[in-house]
Amino acid sequence: QPCYMVVTDVLKRDPNNISMLEIQAISLESLGALQKGIEAYEKLFALTNNNYHGYSLAKLQYSIKDYENAYTTIQKVEKLNDSGNYRVTYAINKTHTQQIELIAAIQYLKGLIAIELQKNDIAISSFQKAIKIQPEFVLAKENLDALNEKMDKE
């Protein structure tokens, strides 16, 4: 991918160039090189302490089932100030997507990770927070309902 090669070249000369690191991380993620993407986001997040970079890192860690590290990352991320600049797009079904405020998406991801770690009480509270931030957040509502239903049966 030409973009990735240009970025790699610039980073050889200027290893902490935030813009280039961001492009590198996004490129690696889109290429499906998840482990390398994680490494790129780790470096980027350490430099910027930006909640979108941290969210992206936690999302990749979650996607490779590294739930412990994803949980540690998302806990750091939720404490950061939100710039209000980022929105995340989720596919609700095959034809509809939904734009979600980053702070709601962070709580949603925390809920998904918490489920994997058997921390259902944290998952419920995270989904509730996501819905409180963005009341029409479809996926957070669906996950909250499913989790409440599951816990009622136990």
Side-chain angles (χ1 to χ4, degrees), residues 61-112:
Q61 290 167 327
Y62 173 78
S63 70
I64 66 161
K65 297 181 171 28
D66 183 1
Y67 302 127
E68 289 294 338
N69 281 322
Y71 192 70
T72 302
T73 302
I74 207 73
Q75 285 181 300
K76 282 183 201 155
V77 170
E78 70 178 336
K79 293 184 180 93
L80 298 173
N81 288 330
D82 183 56
S83 65
N85 295 342
Y86 295 102
R87 295 181 90 73
V88 179
T89 303
Y90 283 102
I92 298 168
N93 54 37
K94 286 188 175 102
T95 54
H96 290 87
T97 60
Q98 189 174 27
Q99 289 274 307
I100 300 298
E101 285 179 55
L102 180 60
I103 50 171
I106 288 166
Q107 290 302 324
Y108 175 67
L109 180 57
K110 184 181 179 187
L112 294 178

Side-chain angles (χ1 to χ4, degrees), residues 71 95 111 115 129 152:
Y71 192 70
T95 54
I115 287 172
K129 284 178 192 166
D152 287 346

Side-chain angles (χ1 to χ4, degrees), residues 16-28:
N16 291 340
N17 182 312
I18 303 292
S19 304
M20 290 297 137
L21 284 168
E22 192 168 38
I23 293 166
Q24 181 187 48
I26 292 164
S27 296
L28 287 164

Side-chain angles (χ1 to χ4, degrees), residues 124 128 143-153:
I124 286 172
Q128 286 169 338
N143 276 281
L144 180 61
D145 291 346
L147 191 54
N148 278 325
E149 208 172 287
K150 181 184 164 212
M151 288 180 73
D152 287 346
K153 287 178 184 163

